[in-house]
Amino acid sequence: MSVAIVDYIVNKVYLPDFISRFTELKKVSGDEHRGMCPIHRGADNDTSLVVRDKVYYCHACRSGGTIVNFVADLEQLPYNIAIERVCEELNIDLSENQQYKTQVSIVDKFTKLATRFAENIDNVQEYLFKER
């Protein structure tokens, strides 16, 4: 997706403040915070989540990245929908961003192609294994 939009979002949000809306974080040192991961909520979750200024990582479930990755993993959303969700929350208007619209259009095309190919996989397998 649009690198410019994601960079803008990442630079606009202090990630520990954002993630602390979903779980309690404790400042460990400098810009490092630790807490329970709200994504997997497992038994091994005591201090598995490490959050810094712009990135997070959970040592238990291996989720990590920026605010967009966090929202995508937390809400189980595709990356482009997570971008839109974060932009909506931050009052960032994507409707006039031509670069973002173009990239969404490309993703949509490839998603439709992948779906079409997945729907026809049985026919392809049948052809390869029986008719050849």
Side-chain angles (χ1 to χ4, degrees):
M1 296 302 349
S2 176
V3 173
I5 290 294
V6 174
D7 284 347
Y8 178 75
I9 293 167
V10 166
N11 289 319
K12 187 172 180 159
V13 175
Y14 183 61
L15 194 54
D17 286 346
F18 184 84
I19 291 179
S20 67
R21 295 182 354 201
F22 304 95
T23 189
E24 183 181 342
L25 295 176
K26 293 178 181 155
K27 188 171 187 169
V28 178
S29 66
D31 69 345
E32 184 175 314
H33 298 73
R34 289 186 177 258
M36 294 180 71
C37 179
I39 294 168
H40 79 276
R41 302 185 190 279
D44 57 351
N45 199 7
D46 193 24
T47 58
S48 59
L49 184 69
V50 178
V51 184
R52 294 202 168 90
D53 181 28
K54 298 181 185 332
V55 294
Y56 79 98
Y57 184 76
C58 176
H59 293 280
C61 71
R62 307 285 190 247
S63 175
T66 66
I67 183 174
V68 177
N69 302 101
F70 179 79
V71 170
D73 288 349
L74 182 69
E75 299 184 21
Q76 299 178 342
L77 299 171
Y79 192 77
N80 62 319
I81 303 299
I83 290 173
E84 293 171 7
R85 179 77 48 95
V86 172
C87 285
E88 184 179 297
E89 189 166 323
L90 299 175
N91 294 318
I92 298 170
D93 183 15
L94 290 175
S95 65
E96 300 300 318
N97 188 308
Q98 193 57 45
Q99 181 185 16
Y100 182 76
K101 286 174 156 180
T102 300
Q103 289 182 342
V104 166
S105 172
I106 291 168
V107 168
D108 287 345
K109 275 185 202 175
F110 282 108
T111 300
K112 287 176 186 171
L113 279 172
T115 301
R116 193 173 99 212
F117 291 141
E119 290 170 349
N120 290 312
I121 194 72
D122 291 336
N123 296 336
V124 172
Q125 286 176 333
E126 184 178 330
Y127 169 76
L128 290 173
F129 293 116
K130 291 182 182 175
E131 295 183 20
R132 287 185 84 194

